[in-house]
């Protein structure tokens, strides 16, 4: 899926969520983010942390969740914060982006 499409969706959602949100690719690189300066940053450790969990993982002030498409964990979405609201937003973001990716 085009990184531009992810970035377009993240840009549209950033005001509604009012937190830093983004997507990490299969190589651990941020490919889309509501805070443009973070695009290109590496988050290699997150994929490993998520592999031990079936749910969201809170790490370094962010909540991370796999985007599941056709039973495959490809990309990871993240939301700033470690509270229940961040967890809910990460879950919604993962569902939406997963569905969008499967239809794309």
């Amino acid at each position: 899926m085009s990184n531009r499409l992810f970035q377009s969706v993240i840009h549209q959602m950033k005001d509604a969520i009012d937190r830093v949100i983004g997507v990490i690719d299969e190589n651990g690189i941020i490919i889309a983010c509501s805070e443009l300066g973070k695009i290109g940053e590496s988050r290699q450790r997150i994929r490993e942390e998520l592999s031990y969990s079936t749910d969201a993982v809170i790490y370094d002030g962010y909540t991370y969740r796999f985007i599941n498409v056709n039973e495959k964990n490809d990309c990871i979405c993240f939301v700033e914060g470690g509270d229940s609201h961040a967890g809910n937003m990460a879950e919604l973001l993962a569902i939406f982006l997963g569905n969008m990716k499967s239809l794309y």
Side-chain angles (χ1 to χ4, degrees), residues 1-24 30-36 38-39 67 76-79 89-90 92-94 96-97 100:
M1 176 181 282
S2 169
N3 296 356
R4 256 188 281 175
L5 185 56
F6 272 141
Q7 184 59 38
S8 174
V9 169
I10 294 298
H11 179 73
Q12 292 175 53
M13 291 182 154
K14 75 177 185 175
D15 291 333
I17 294 179
D18 198 32
R19 294 183 186 212
V20 176
I21 57 174
V23 177
I24 299 170
I30 297 176
I31 57 171
C33 188
S34 60
E35 197 172 287
L36 297 177
K38 292 187 178 296
I39 295 174
I67 299 171
I76 299 167
C77 67
F78 63 89
V79 176
M89 292 297 106
L92 287 172
L93 192 57
F96 175 76
L97 293 174
M100 187 179 78

Side-chain angles (χ1 to χ4, degrees), residues 57-70:
V57 169
I58 299 167
Y59 184 79
D60 202 23
Y62 290 87
T63 301
Y64 297 88
R65 189 173 195 91
F66 272 120
I67 299 171
N68 191 317
V69 179
N70 300 325

